[in-house]
Structure formats: structure tokens, C-alpha cells
Amino acid sequence: MVLVFILLTILIILLTFFFLILLSTVHIKIQNFSITNMKEEKLDKDYAIILSLYLGNKIKWISIHLNDKKLRKAYSKMQLEKIDLEKLEKDFRWEDLKVIKKLQPKIANLKLNMQVGLENPVVTAFAVTSISSIISIFLPYVAVSKKKEHYEYAITPVYQNQNLYKIEFGCIIQVKMVHIINVISSFLKKGRSDLNERTTSHRRSYGYSYE
């Protein structure tokens, strides 16, 4: 009887935890990220990535804080393999992008300051205009708030006939766990279907026939 009660309690806890995750929204907060190839510029490298789970986008119940030191330590422990571009091109399908769209990410806050310079001033002006236009077109579709003060970005040209860049970036991205689980499920189903197709294609049609 005691064992049944313990197992029932564990089951209730697991189900509760599962539903909490299912009803949560992932908040990915990037703070003080900066990168540049301008030698005279000094950047504050004290950046951080904060991963949190919110219930109703209001109640935070799980949070993981990764600062600059932790990220560098994690990166140093990772064994990054060289990307096989031929295999990646072969395996890539445009259908995969449609699956990723199911994530439906939202941006709750954006701070972007970018300086861009290329060897050709005309190309520099075109690049700055293009980047600004792309952001202004897509931002309304992913913005959570309609308050303009939550979304600030500036793309500035650098006319020095050199390939230069400086990016200072911070944002908060929101993704519902339901959408993440849906995408993972879609990729798993796709993986099984691809495996079945390969298995079927290698199977001889006359393997079980009789002469």
C-alpha cells in the first residue's frame, strides 16, 4: 500500500511538472553582447545569456544564468567537429524551414547598435539600407509590444574603405514550449520517415519471390 502511494505521488509530481513545462514560455535574454574588428574600439565583454521559463509570461519558475565566464568554459569543453558542407547541402530541405516556422518566436525587447563598413562606399550604403529595411519589415511580425521604446536599433555606415563592423546587441526572445515540442515531434517524425524511405529503397523487390 505504501509502495502504491509512493508511486502515485511520483506520478502526480511528474505529470504536474510536465504540464507546467507544457504551459510555459521560454524567455531567452541576451545582455550586453558585443563584437567588433575595429582595433581602436574597446568592448565590454561582460555579456550574459539568461534562459527562463515563465507561466503566462508573468511568473518565472526556472532560470539559468550563463555569464561570459560560464559560456567560455562551456565552449572550451565542446569538441566542435568540422561541418561537412556537402552532406549538409544534401540533407537540407526547404521543408525544414517550414517546420522551424512553427516555433513562432516573438521578440519582447530589442537593442541593436550596428556599424558596418565595406571597401566600396556604394556597397556600404546599400548594405546599411538593406539591413535596416529587413529589420523594419520583419520586426512588426515578431514584436510582442507595440511600444517603440522596447525596440531600438541603429545601423550606421562606416566609410573608411575597409571591411569593418561593430555590433552591440541585446534582446529578449519568447518561444512557447508547446511550439518547441511540436517542432521536435515534427523532426522526429521526419527522421523516422526518412529512415523508412532509405530502408525501403535498399530493399530488393524480388527478395521474397520464388522462381
Side-chain angles (χ1 to χ4, degrees):
M1 186 66 181
V2 176
L3 180 60
V4 174
F5 177 76
I6 294 174
L7 292 176
L8 185 60
T9 303
I10 294 174
L11 180 61
I12 293 173
I13 293 173
L14 291 176
L15 287 174
T16 303
F17 185 73
F18 173 76
F19 281 111
L20 283 174
I21 292 178
L22 194 64
L23 297 173
S24 296
T25 300
V26 180
H27 285 215
I28 304 171
K29 185 176 184 180
I30 301 174
Q31 290 181 331
N32 302 324
F33 177 82
S34 57
I35 184 171
T36 184
N37 66 345
M38 300 180 186
K39 296 181 180 179
E40 68 276 8
E41 294 286 346
K42 292 184 179 180
L43 298 176
D44 182 10
K45 294 185 178 180
D46 189 19
Y47 61 89
I49 297 177
I50 303 172
L51 304 176
S52 305
L53 287 181
Y54 281 77
L55 284 174
N57 280 329
K58 294 181 180 180
I59 304 174
K60 180 170 65 175
W61 64 289
I62 292 180
S63 183
I64 301 175
H65 189 282
L66 301 174
N67 57 23
D68 179 37
K69 294 181 180 179
K70 291 181 180 179
L71 290 170
R72 288 180 179 273
K73 186 176 180 181
Y75 179 80
S76 63
K77 291 182 178 181
M78 292 173 60
Q79 297 180 353
L80 300 178
E81 299 179 356
K82 293 183 178 180
I83 299 175
D84 190 342
L85 295 178
E86 292 183 359
K87 186 177 184 301
L88 183 63
E89 183 178 357
K90 183 179 179 181
D91 293 341
F92 176 77
R93 296 180 181 179
W94 287 106
E95 297 176 358
D96 296 339
L97 294 179
K98 295 180 180 179
V99 175
I100 295 175
K101 284 173 61 177
K102 294 180 180 179
L103 283 175
Q104 300 180 25
K106 298 293 182 180
I107 297 179
N109 187 279
L110 174 66
K111 304 290 183 182
L112 174 63
N113 182 19
M114 179 185 296
Q115 299 179 31
V116 180
L118 301 172
E119 294 181 355
N120 189 319
V122 176
V123 178
T124 298
F126 177 77
V128 170
T129 303
S130 300
I131 295 172
S132 300
S133 299
I134 291 172
I135 294 175
S136 62
I137 291 172
F138 286 99
L139 187 57
Y141 294 98
V142 296
V144 174
S145 173
K146 294 183 179 180
K147 297 181 179 179
K148 294 182 178 180
E149 58 268 24
H150 291 176
Y151 306 94
E152 298 178 0
Y153 63 93
I155 315 299
T156 309
V158 180
Y159 297 109
Q160 295 186 14
N161 297 326
Q162 300 181 55
N163 293 324
L164 300 173
Y165 63 85
K166 178 183 177 182
I167 302 173
E168 296 174 319
F169 177 71
C171 73
I172 299 176
I173 303 172
Q174 299 178 3
V175 183
K176 292 184 178 180
M177 280 301 302
V178 174
H179 297 154
I180 295 176
I181 294 172
N182 187 23
V183 169
I184 294 174
S185 176
S186 298
F187 273 114
L188 291 175
K189 290 179 181 178
K190 177 180 175 297
R192 286 196 295 267
S193 63
D194 289 345
L195 180 61
N196 292 334
E197 287 178 4
R198 289 196 296 268
T199 304
T200 305
S201 63
H202 289 109
R203 185 183 299 150
R204 296 181 180 179
S205 59
Y206 56 84
Y208 298 100
S209 62
Y210 295 94
E211 296 181 356

